[in-house]
Amino acid sequence: MRPFALLVALMLAVLAPTVQASAVEPAFGAQRTERIEAELVPMTQWATPGSTVVVAVRQAIQPGWHTYWRNPGDSGGATTLDWTLPAGVKADPVLWPLPTRQRLLGLMNYGYSGEVFLPVPIQVPATARPGEVLTLTAQALFLVCSDRMCVPEPLTLSLALPVREGAAPLARPWGEAIRKTVAAAPRPAGVTARVTRGGQGESLTLTATGGPLAGGVGAAYFFPFEAGRIDHAAVQSGRRGPDGLSLRLTPGRQAGDGAVSGVLATDRGAWEITAEPGPPLAGAEGQATLTPLSEAAASVEAGVEAGVEAGVEAGAKTGQTSGAGGLGLQHVLALALLGGLVLNLMPCVFPVLAMKAAALSAAAHDPARARRDGLAFLAGVLASFLTLAGALLVLRTAGQAVGWGFQLQSPGVTATLALILLGVSLNLSGVFHVGAGLQGAGSGPLARLPGATGAFFTGVLAVVVAAPCTAPFMAAALGAALVLPWPLALAVFTALGLGLAAPYVAISLSPGLLARLPRPGAWMETLKGVLAFPMYGAALWLAWVFGQQGGGQPLAGLLAAGLALAFAGWTYGRVQARRAEGRRAAIGVVTATLALLSALMLAGAAAMTAQDRPAVVEGASAQAAQAAQTALPARPWSPQAVAQATAAGRPVLVNLTADWCVTCKINERTALSSPRVAEAIRAANAVYLVGDWTRRDDAIAQELQAHGRSGVPLYLVYRPGRAEPEILPQLLTEGVVIEALRRNRGPTPPASAGR
């Protein structure tokens, strides 16, 4: 199974127990979401004791969306049914209709769109009494996907099936459609098949003869039952013979040496086959070349994000998104590269890069050293991005609802980063030095680890502190990375890292630019001291975030840890000064070590306390507390709150935010707290909802994923009567918000309406 298919399967496996854990209440009739309508319908009007009756899961899938076959292909997940049946009643496996082929980038998926029936034979015991009603209930889990996102849709489907004597006529209105689906469903038909591996396992030849193939076919395609046995996206070419046909297949990642089972679809019908290993069958070749079997479904080779999304985020004018014009992988990589470049200007990263730029000045007139430092910095950035991406993908494979900045949802990580930035600040302030001792003014780079090692870890630090920021263009790229197979996802993160490191590396590799930099001098020590203060501010901000996550007592513990760390740094600086004078400082070393250990223990205890206790304010109250930080009257976000407001005819402005998200806080202070925006909300009769992702919240994570995003901020405007919201840019202005509210204005509220 491909890695993304495994990811989806594991996510569905995590969701399924949650669905099963709740009490199963029958839900008769059609059940609907924004993307799919489903119901359990019978083929015949009643069931007869001791017979097998066919019922079907009818899916009415919205345009632009699809569900999946038993083998979803390179991504996606099959529909699952968990039955609750009366005693003695049994459900057989689904009779899967032939799927359509759906292309996405370089992938091939198998699934359904529009209206489709999944027939299921139900065995009715002979003990069933005429006159009784059998209640059949299925917990269905659909993975409904478009070319931009996938949404798991759990629905409870029920059917009341009466028991009577005698032959039952077809039920209206779906009985005839189900009968045709059952009649056309692939099944064994006396076809003999062999699979032959060629070379070093680099090719597969499937030969099939007998049964309905003996009459000759003109086109064919093989759908395997198991993902990974063949390369789904590869071309299948073949020839026909007097008794059958042969197909050339490309092995998949889990091709194996055993039999291959699946559906052989041709222009004369489709049949289930099992191809045993062995030499090619006689009579399967020697005549005309097979023509490719037409793909019944329109290709969805659109990409993961709409091309205008990038233009909207860049222009920050209307905030509207469109599905017109899809993005290929190259466009996703370009967005990631551009997002990394813009990330250099975000407040999270700028202090670190300013510090690194000053260090580059020290090597400006030593091109070899500058090149070494530039490449080491690039290596640190890429290593950190790939490590972060690997952790993110592994956690999502394990079913965790995480996204960009997920590490800052952990109080332990927040505390660690706060202390690291405090240590960097103390170092820049000259409290202590890291490297080969004290350096005189004008004699070298900023106090740091020497050479390439220091450059590498500065790259690591730049990525670590970048987590709270999401730059324009990053949203589409990161959203794409989380739905692509892992090699392509890692390529997206690599492009993001290249963008972040590009300016520094470009200067370090350009002798002309290096020559324009000022020579090292006393100014560097002044700059070093100035740059310490943004780092102090970042450390204080992370301490505030930690307090929001854990409350006052853990925050007090973290502040004590910071005090101990500062004492350890000061003591170590005294040790360095004494050693520079040729004096011994054993007591100072012991004192600094004990202070450092105390800082670590205090921070660890504070983090454990914050992790073990609930959020500062639980559930909706926490979101209300978050909303109270803005000047706009707000309510806590939930899908139900959105539905209630739109059902009442009111537009909805949604702000998904987090305390550790710098971009979020800037937007809230500049664009979401002004009297003009408050007046626009009142004039539009809109509801303002705020969702707080400071600590983990699976509902918010799923909402982000549903809109192709991996992290906050996310701003949505819902208009009554329209299912899909308008997505606003990540960098907001008053004008963007006001114009979006004007476009989605609801009915004018009465003068006495309460807010």
Side-chain angles (χ1 to χ4, degrees), residues 284-314:
E285 291 188 342
Q287 295 184 352
T289 300
L290 293 174
T291 59
L293 188 66
S294 174
E295 297 182 13
S299 171
V300 291
E301 190 153 17
V304 183
E305 281 286 354
V308 295
E309 171 87 4
V312 169
E313 298 221 346

Side-chain angles (χ1 to χ4, degrees), residues 642-684:
V642 173
Q644 290 172 3
T646 54
R650 303 182 66 182
V652 179
L653 172 62
V654 174
N655 171 16
L656 300 184
T657 181
D659 286 335
W660 43 259
C661 171
V662 174
T663 308
C664 304
K665 295 302 156 189
I666 292 174
N667 287 334
E668 287 165 11
R669 296 295 184 269
T670 59
L672 293 174
S673 299
S674 72
R676 291 182 61 212
V677 171
E679 173 59 25
I681 289 178
R682 188 204 63 78

Side-chain angles (χ1 to χ4, degrees), residues 302-679:
V304 183
E305 281 286 354
V308 295
E309 171 87 4
V312 169
E313 298 221 346
K317 292 179 181 179
T318 67
Q320 292 178 303
T321 59
S322 169
L327 289 179
L329 178 61
Q330 67 273 24
H331 298 91
V332 175
L333 294 176
L335 284 178
L337 185 66
L338 191 56
L341 285 168
V342 178
L343 197 59
N344 284 285
L345 303 178
M346 303 303 285
C348 315
V349 184
F350 184 76
V352 175
L353 295 186
M355 183 174 67
K356 198 60 200 162
L360 184 61
S361 296
H365 302 279
D366 186 349
R369 176 179 158 194
R371 286 193 299 271
R372 179 200 65 193
D373 283 6
L375 295 176
F377 178 76
L378 173 63
V381 169
L382 294 181
S384 298
F385 262 115
L386 292 177
T387 300
L388 188 63
L392 179 61
L393 294 174
V394 166
L395 288 173
R396 291 183 71 89
T397 300
Q400 301 295 310
V402 294
W404 177 252
F406 72 96
Q407 65 273 33
L408 290 176
Q409 293 176 328
S410 166
V413 173
T414 306
T416 300
L417 290 179
L419 293 181
I420 289 175
L421 291 183
L422 176 60
V424 171
S425 305
L426 294 170
N427 174 238
L428 291 174
S429 295
V431 175
F432 67 94
H433 300 269
V434 178
L438 294 171
Q439 297 173 328
S443 65
L446 296 175
R448 56 178 175 85
L449 288 172
T453 304
F456 178 89
F457 282 105
T458 304
V460 172
L461 181 62
V463 176
V464 168
V465 300
C469 283
T470 301
F473 308 105
M474 280 179 61
L478 291 175
L482 297 183
V483 298
L484 289 173
W486 68 265
L488 300 182
L490 294 181
V492 173
F493 276 92
T494 300
L496 193 60
L498 289 173
L500 177 63
Y504 180 84
V505 175
I507 294 174
S508 69
L509 297 180
S510 174
L513 292 175
L514 286 171
R516 294 176 179 272
L517 295 177
R519 291 185 175 275
W523 66 271
M524 292 185 62
E525 289 300 318
T526 301
L527 178 62
K528 181 177 71 171
V530 170
L531 290 177
F533 289 95
M535 304 303 286
Y536 282 123
L540 285 173
W541 166 70
L542 284 170
W544 173 78
V545 171
F546 182 83
Q548 296 293 106
Q549 293 172 327
Q553 182 177 349
L555 177 59
L558 179 62
L559 294 177
L563 179 62
L565 179 64
F567 179 70
W570 177 80
T571 305
Y572 183 61
R574 299 280 295 173
V575 168
Q576 290 179 312
R578 291 179 65 87
R579 286 178 173 174
E581 297 170 358
R583 302 163 61 186
R584 302 183 64 180
I587 296 177
V589 171
V590 172
T591 303
T593 302
L594 291 175
L596 178 61
L597 292 175
S598 299
L600 296 177
M601 289 188 292
L602 287 167
M608 291 178 63
T609 303
Q611 190 70 45
D612 291 342
R613 64 176 290 168
V616 180
V617 192
E618 287 288 349
S621 298
Q623 296 177 351
Q626 170 68 29
Q629 295 176 12
T630 70
L632 301 180
R635 303 177 187 174
W637 171 87
S638 70
Q640 295 76 17
V642 173
Q644 290 172 3
T646 54
R650 303 182 66 182
V652 179
L653 172 62
V654 174
N655 171 16
L656 300 184
T657 181
D659 286 335
W660 43 259
C661 171
V662 174
T663 308
C664 304
K665 295 302 156 189
I666 292 174
N667 287 334
E668 287 165 11
R669 296 295 184 269
T670 59
L672 293 174
S673 299
S674 72
R676 291 182 61 212
V677 171
E679 173 59 25

Side-chain angles (χ1 to χ4, degrees), residues 11 51 165 170 224 242 354 390 514 572 743:
M11 288 177 65
S51 67
E165 295 285 3
L170 292 176
L514 286 171
Y572 183 61
R743 284 194 301 271

